[in-house]
Amino acid sequence: MIKKILIANRGEIAVRIIRACKEMGIKTVAIYSTADKEALHVQLADEAICVGGPKAKDSYLNMANIISAASLTGCDAIHPGFGFLSENSKFARLVERCQMTFIGPNPDVIDKMGNKSEARKIMQKAKVPVVPGSKGVVHNAAEGVKIAAQIGFPVLIKASNGGGGKGMRTSYSEDDFEDAFYTAKAEAKANFGDDDVYIEKLLLNPKHVEVQILADKHGNVIHLFERDCSVQRRKQKMIEESPCFFLNNDVKENMYQDAIKACKSVKYDSVGTIEFLVDQNQDYYFIEMNTRIQVEHPVSEMVTNVDIIKNQIRIASGLELQLKQEDIKLLGYSMECRINAEDIDRDFAPSPGKITFMNLPGGKGVRIDSSTYVGYEIPPFYDSMILKLITFAPTRLECIRKMRGALEELIIEGVKTNIEYQYMILHSPLFISGNYNIGFIEELQKEVVKSEKRISRKKDEAQNI
Ligand code: ADP
């Protein structure tokens, strides 16, 4: 069994991993950049070690320094969290070459499933439906435009190694194809170091639904149901919920079985997520696999009472899953609001700075996974997510009401946040209906602009009386 883990990450996910380790009696080592000296994860871990300057490439992506920190402190495993090095097979191999355990799948699986165009091929072979698209990487615009015409416009040009919605461009016709193609390639190169892209048909306003998987090194694979992550702004998730309210149970069951089949076909051996898009006919298509823990994992934990991080650590230690599929019961309803330090009036621009006051909600079924405290200075160098607010209730409506109440109690001062925006979403009739899709936020934004215009017209009228 693993005895001491270095956490190669920061923020709330580092805190989350430290908490799991404490419960398991495992020692922890935090790493931090010079900008993160005062961060919560640094204070909660048993030991902490600085690995470089503020820029991620100097610290949280600095493989040599991270490995040295782990061996200096006597760690026998490294947990990569999400983002940073979590889906980097080179790092996973390096960790293993240094006689430590990488808490994630084996590096060969990361290579296969972490590359989106490769993963599509593997899924097709396993007879899992994929979005219609190119057979693999598309090398130039001339080749691409032919493929796009065959599939039918509009299409999406996507980075093979992409993530976080980056390196993705829509093309509506042959006229804008070349531009979109080379912009996607350039963005892929700048963000992911290689410029491989592939093409997919753009599905019109589908739902994003994903299946949480637990797989061990002995061939056992189970699922923890699905999450609906369709509340997205610029392809970044904002609210996630489990289970998905809109899908019928037969479709869900097929989806779980396909997700398990997909994992078995590549001998997947960790926790992971299979992501699908679902159209209005409830037909679903694989888009990608995340070979790591995800931001939204708490909603699955709440509805099943399974600790996903603890399972991930046990699996990496080589232990067999203690849970069987029939042990996993859907206990209720859960949703998560991502609270970001950002200014919604300035196009959601990051709003770093010092937290001067904070009031956190509580009560039964309210969970907070946070990286902040009063007096903490949010650095400008990293992701703007500072807190995840999660609620759990027997029914969806109670869960929504609980989330509204929790958002009313949640006060963060000193920086701008998206709390009010989340509160507005929680009152939107479309959100409440559950039948929303990935176009939801854009629609909501239009409504907001319309009502702002209406208010200012009324004000003008009032002044003229
Ligand atoms: P990333 O890894 O960058 O997050 P994904 O492939 O997971 O990229 O897609 C992110 C989001 O982009 C999806 O949740 C969905 O909103 C949108 N998207 C991706 N592929 C398609 C598609 N073929 N048609 C329509 N929307 C898509």
Side-chain angles (χ1 to χ4, degrees):
M1 185 64 196
I2 290 167
K3 293 196 175 64
K4 190 169 182 181
I5 296 177
L6 177 133
I7 298 148
N9 215 299
R10 65 181 301 284
E12 64 80 25
I13 192 63
V15 172
R16 167 74 186 89
I17 297 162
I18 293 167
R19 286 182 178 146
C21 289
K22 282 188 179 172
E23 284 178 42
M24 296 173 87
I26 297 172
K27 293 266 175 254
T28 52
V29 177
I31 59 163
Y32 62 98
S33 71
T34 48
D36 265 345
K37 230 173 25 217
E38 307 296 335
L40 190 60
H41 74 284
V42 175
Q43 300 179 43
L44 294 184
D46 295 310
E47 291 169 58
I49 186 160
C50 182
V51 289
K55 284 193 187 133
K57 74 170 178 37
D58 297 328
S59 47
Y60 299 106
L61 292 172
N62 187 334
M63 295 190 206
N65 285 10
I66 294 172
I67 300 270
S68 308
S71 58
L72 266 174
T73 50
C75 289
D76 50 6
I78 296 187
H79 196 307
F82 49 64
F84 297 125
L85 296 167
S86 60
E87 292 186 278
N88 187 316
S89 58
K90 189 174 156 203
F91 180 65
R93 286 197 178 91
L94 201 60
V95 173
E96 284 179 358
R97 223 172 296 138
C98 296
Q99 314 296 321
M100 288 180 278
T101 302
F102 177 76
I103 302 177
N106 73 76
D108 295 339
V109 175
I110 301 180
D111 278 336
K112 282 186 193 153
M113 299 307 272
N115 182 304
K116 296 201 219 174
S117 57
E118 278 306 303
R120 277 170 57 84
K121 285 188 203 161
I122 294 167
M123 289 304 104
Q124 275 169 306
K125 237 195 227 157
K127 303 243 169 330
V128 176
V130 302
V131 180
S134 60
K135 287 216 171 68
V137 171
V138 178
H139 299 98
N140 56 57
E143 182 192 342
V145 83
K146 274 190 211 144
I147 296 169
Q150 275 165 15
I151 305 166
F153 285 96
V155 295
L156 258 187
I157 301 147
K158 296 171 87 170
S160 298
N161 286 303
K166 292 199 188 103
M168 212 184 281
R169 279 287 176 284
T170 307
S171 164
Y172 295 93
S173 72
E174 289 183 12
D175 300 339
D176 67 11
F177 186 84
E178 193 169 330
D179 240 23
F181 185 82
Y182 289 111
T183 314
K185 257 177 127 44
E187 206 172 295
K189 179 88 191 162
N191 285 287
F192 314 112
D194 94 57
D195 67 351
D196 282 354
V197 294
Y198 65 103
I199 297 174
E200 249 176 34
K201 184 158 186 64
L202 180 84
L203 300 185
L204 287 178
N205 290 335
K207 252 187 181 301
H208 173 121
V209 182
E210 55 186 39
V211 178
Q212 175 69 54
I213 289 291
L214 306 185
D216 66 16
K217 296 183 188 301
H218 307 273
N220 303 303
V221 186
I222 61 170
H223 70 81
L224 300 186
F225 307 106
E226 78 286 358
R227 297 184 284 257
D228 184 342
C229 309
S230 307
V231 180
Q232 300 180 356
R233 189 181 160 273
R234 298 204 177 139
K235 306 204 165 35
Q236 297 273 9
K237 297 164 187 167
M238 287 182 79
I239 296 181
E240 302 93 346
E241 54 175 305
S242 180
C244 173
F245 198 60
F246 151 94
L247 276 185
N248 76 48
N249 285 341
D250 294 346
V251 177
K252 286 184 187 183
E253 195 49 49
N254 288 339
M255 212 178 215
Y256 307 149
Q257 293 317 319
D258 273 349
I260 289 174
K261 198 163 73 182
C263 290
K264 286 196 167 161
S265 79
V266 290
K267 298 199 166 47
Y268 192 76
D269 57 351
S270 184
V271 307
T273 302
I274 305 278
E275 296 190 338
F276 297 99
L277 294 181
V278 188
D279 67 18
Q280 287 300 317
N281 301 324
Q282 305 219 350
D283 288 326
Y284 62 84
Y285 306 89
F286 167 86
I287 47 167
E288 69 159 338
M289 176 165 199
N290 286 137
T291 59
R292 54 169 167 83
I293 191 73
Q294 279 187 289
V295 175
E296 57 270 28
H297 76 274
V299 294
S300 302
E301 295 189 324
M302 300 299 269
V303 296
T304 58
N305 208 15
V306 172
D307 187 312
I308 300 176
I309 303 266
K310 282 203 221 167
N311 273 284
Q312 190 185 24
I313 296 170
R314 278 197 203 103
I315 291 165
S317 307
L319 298 175
E320 235 179 291
L321 276 177
Q322 293 166 316
L323 297 158
K324 300 252 172 302
Q325 191 64 61
E326 53 271 25
D327 302 328
I328 310 296
K329 300 272 183 293
L330 197 54
L331 304 173
Y333 217 92
S334 180
M335 53 183 59
E336 169 184 280
C337 283
R338 297 188 187 196
I339 305 302
N340 301 333
E342 58 191 17
D343 186 350
I344 56 172
D345 294 325
R346 286 184 42 238
D347 199 25
F348 296 79
S351 172
K354 196 172 192 157
I355 309 257
T356 53
F357 177 81
M358 195 157 79
N359 184 64
L360 299 180
K364 188 169 180 288
V366 176
R367 166 175 168 179
I368 289 171
D369 283 18
S370 150
S371 60
T372 51
Y373 55 87
V374 175
Y376 176 61
E377 178 117 25
I378 300 164
F381 307 102
Y382 314 106
D383 196 84
S384 56
M385 190 177 75
I386 50 170
L387 185 147
K388 301 189 307 206
L389 181 55
I390 304 122
T391 53
F392 172 81
T395 67
R396 185 166 183 268
L397 196 56
E398 285 167 281
C399 194
I400 290 176
R401 289 206 177 113
K402 200 185 285 264
M403 182 61 87
R404 287 178 185 167
L407 285 166
E408 282 165 12
E409 285 181 43
L410 178 61
I411 303 169
I412 298 175
E413 283 175 4
V415 296
K416 299 254 180 2
T417 72
N418 63 346
I419 295 173
E420 280 179 23
Y421 199 87
Q422 295 282 25
Y423 192 65
M424 179 178 72
I425 296 174
L426 267 286
H427 287 80
S428 147
L430 190 52
F431 179 78
I432 296 163
S433 78
N435 192 9
Y436 56 86
N437 58 51
I438 60 166
F440 168 66
I441 291 290
E442 219 172 296
E443 284 305 310
L444 193 66
Q445 206 56 35
K446 280 185 204 152
E447 289 296 316
V448 170
V449 171
K450 254 198 252 165
S451 70
E452 275 170 357
K453 277 192 186 145
R454 217 169 24 240
I455 291 167
S456 91
R457 216 173 33 239
K458 291 262 180 242
K459 267 192 197 156
D460 288 348
E461 280 168 16
Q463 268 166 6
N464 291 336
I465 289 170

